[in-house]
Each structure stands twice: as C-alpha cells, then as structure tokens.
Amino acid sequence: DRLQYACKPLLGYFGSSDVTQLKETHVEQCIASRSRSVTDGTIKREVGTLSAAFNHAIKKHHWHIENPCTKAEAPKEPKGRVRYLARPEAKRLLQAAELPYLADFIELALNTGCRKGELLNLKWENIDFSTRLIYLDQTKSGEWQTVPINEEARQVLVRRMRLREQICPNSRWVFFHMVPALNSKVGDRVKNIRRSFKSACNRAGIENFRIHDLRHTFASWLVMEGVPLFEVSKLLRHASIQMTERYAHLAPDYLHDAVASLGFSARFQHTEKPRRQCSTRMT
C-alpha cells in the first residue's frame, strides 16, 4: 500500500519524463514542490521509492543510467513518532469498533505488537497454540519471526477460530470477510481496515491516531510496566536497540533505580571514621 501511495505523486510530477535526462536538480525540485503539502517523512518515502526504481533498472535490467536520487538533497530523517493510547482510550476504541474483525484486530495488535500487514496476512497454519507462538513469514525484514501469545491474544484467536468454524471452515485466514464485500466473498482475507479503523477512532473521540500506533501502544505499555528496553526491543523485533529507545522517556524512574544502590558519597561520609590530623613536624 505504501509503495502504491508513493508512486502516485511521483507519476503525477514526472509524468512521461525521459529517465535518462533526470538529474538531482529535478528530484530536488520535486521535493520542494511536495514539501508545500506533505511531511518530510512522506517525501523521504517517495524519493526512496523512486531511488529503488532506478536501482532496479540499473542492477536487474542493466540500464546505462545514473540514479539522480543519490546526489539529491533530501529532507532529514524525521524523529520517530510515538503516539499511544491510555487504557481507557483503548477500551473506548474497542467498544467503537462496529465490525467484529476490527475489534479482534485491535485487541490482537495491542497484545502482540504486530504490524498491520503481519496480522492481515496471518494464516491459521502459522499459529501454534501448544507453544503459544505466532510464526510470521511476511515481515518487514523479510525473515521468519516469532511472536509470543499471551492469554488475551489466545482468547482473541480462539474467538476467531470459532467464528471460522461457523461461517467459513475452509478459510486459511485469521481475519476474513464474514459477509460478501466488493471483490471479496465470505472467507476471503480482509485486505484493508483503514476506513473502518478511522471511523472507530472518530466514534471513540480519539484524534491523531493511526493503525501503526497500536504497535506504539503495545511498546509504551510494556515500558511503563517496567519491562527493560532490551526485552521490548526483542518483542518488537527491532533490528537495533536504538529503534526502541524512543520509548525510554516513558519509564522516568529507570535511571533513578539504576543509581539508587550507589550512594557512595553519603555512605562514605556517615560510616568512615574522621581522619587524624597529619603532623607536619619533622623528626
């Protein structure tokens, strides 16, 4: 979805331009034009998509062209956004989710930290109730990863399984259509929840909240419960601990706890006997 959204403005701006004639100045002009209406993060994704297209043509199709994006001055990497729900807000959001699969999606996301695509592409064959693990084959890194299932997530999955048995026992998808929809029949995979999720947020009175922020909420709640950042990083399946440090400010006491056991100066002053005054007389 992100790639498709990124391609539309690129095609709209460059149109039928000759790729052999594109220079970094053309890319910078596009960046300047887009900066009037979208954020730096959006521009970086769009330029990254264009750069990937050039690299693909050069490496895979042996086009004798240069990638103009490599020399273009792009916006700086935006700071990581952390927007999370308080627990009462999460409860309101679940109550506002009119579609059954949307409520289950939200609850499963809050208890696993999985990304939208990972959950919507989740198949029953990738769930192991005996080990309480979800096996993800379509991840951001492109590698197989596992996600632990807590009791709340298990109950959601059991509820989904019972619905499947009643409505479409042959469906392989965890999130499936319960009634026919546009270009989809009963049992087909739910491909997008953007509109229904936004409607639920509006009904719940929750502003400036995106689907991916459910993952931020999962991480934020863990940190506020005192879970170490290293463990949160493993649960989020981050490539580096630096990606997880955006949540560090939510645990304001962890630095105090780290130094609380030192107290060297105070303990030294109260327990050490006063030193005798040194004599300077020569013998």
Side-chain angles (χ1 to χ4, degrees):
D1 288 346
R2 274 191 173 187
L3 287 174
Q4 290 178 0
Y5 280 112
C7 286
K8 288 180 180 179
L10 290 172
L11 291 171
Y13 184 86
F14 290 106
S16 57
S17 301
D18 185 348
V19 295
T20 64
Q21 301 301 314
L22 289 182
K23 306 297 181 184
E24 60 268 20
T25 53
H26 298 115
V27 177
E28 290 172 350
Q29 289 169 3
C30 176
I31 291 172
S33 174
R34 292 291 289 156
S35 65
R36 302 188 188 104
S37 56
V38 297
T39 64
D40 287 350
T42 298
I43 295 173
K44 282 190 69 68
R45 282 195 295 273
E46 293 173 359
V47 175
T49 301
L50 180 62
S51 180
F54 269 96
N55 289 336
H56 180 80
I58 294 168
K59 295 178 182 179
K60 297 297 183 180
H61 298 284
H62 309 290
W63 287 18
H64 298 290
I65 57 177
E66 291 186 2
N67 185 345
C69 301
T70 57
K71 296 179 181 180
E73 187 174 347
K76 294 181 180 180
E77 188 70 31
K79 293 183 178 180
R81 176 181 185 273
V82 177
R83 168 73 167 96
Y84 65 92
L85 294 177
R87 293 182 185 271
E89 288 181 307
K91 184 177 180 180
R92 291 205 318 267
L93 182 59
L94 283 170
Q95 293 172 342
E98 294 181 341
L99 300 174
Y101 66 75
L102 179 61
D104 289 340
F105 175 94
I106 293 171
E107 192 169 357
L108 194 59
L110 289 173
N111 282 284
T112 63
C114 288
R115 300 176 178 88
K116 179 187 73 171
E118 293 169 347
L119 290 181
L120 293 183
N121 286 294
L122 187 60
K123 299 181 286 288
W124 288 109
E125 62 202 60
N126 293 341
I127 298 172
D128 191 337
F129 284 102
S130 62
T131 59
R132 290 203 170 204
L133 288 174
I134 295 174
Y135 293 87
L136 300 174
D137 57 350
Q138 297 188 28
T139 62
K140 187 176 180 180
S141 67
E143 300 177 353
W144 277 88
Q145 296 175 340
T146 58
V147 176
I149 301 172
N150 64 12
E151 180 56 27
E152 288 75 12
R154 189 193 71 82
Q155 291 179 15
V156 173
L157 291 170
V158 169
R159 186 162 62 242
R160 299 299 305 167
M161 181 175 288
R162 289 173 178 169
L163 275 174
R164 184 190 69 152
E165 292 172 352
Q166 296 172 7
I167 300 172
C168 48
N170 294 324
S171 177
R172 62 188 305 201
W173 307 105
V174 172
F175 292 99
F176 51 84
H177 284 283
M178 299 176 61
V179 295
L182 182 64
N183 299 324
S184 299
K185 58 182 183 294
V186 174
D188 284 352
R189 178 176 73 90
V190 175
K191 297 178 182 178
N192 208 332
I193 59 171
R194 188 190 304 272
R195 187 176 299 177
S196 58
F197 184 83
K198 184 177 181 180
S199 297
C201 287
N202 290 338
R203 285 192 294 273
I206 297 173
E207 299 178 351
N208 190 30
F209 193 77
R210 305 177 305 196
I211 297 173
H212 193 73
D213 293 331
L214 295 171
R215 180 171 164 86
H216 291 322
T217 302
F218 167 83
S220 301
W221 287 357
L222 286 174
V223 173
M224 288 186 287
E225 289 292 329
V227 177
L229 287 180
F230 179 77
E231 295 181 15
V232 175
S233 178
K234 291 299 182 183
L235 290 169
L236 291 174
R237 295 162 283 120
H238 278 164
S240 66
I241 190 67
Q242 285 76 21
M243 298 176 67
T244 319
E245 287 179 347
R246 70 174 71 178
Y247 305 104
H249 69 284
L250 298 174
D253 293 331
Y254 81 104
L255 290 178
H256 294 284
D257 295 340
V259 300
S261 60
L262 292 179
F264 178 78
S265 296
R267 186 166 62 249
F268 181 83
Q269 292 174 5
H270 290 293
T271 59
E272 188 77 1
K273 293 181 180 180
R275 295 181 180 179
R276 294 180 180 180
Q277 186 175 1
C278 297
S279 174
T280 59
R281 186 179 62 180
M282 300 291 293
T283 55

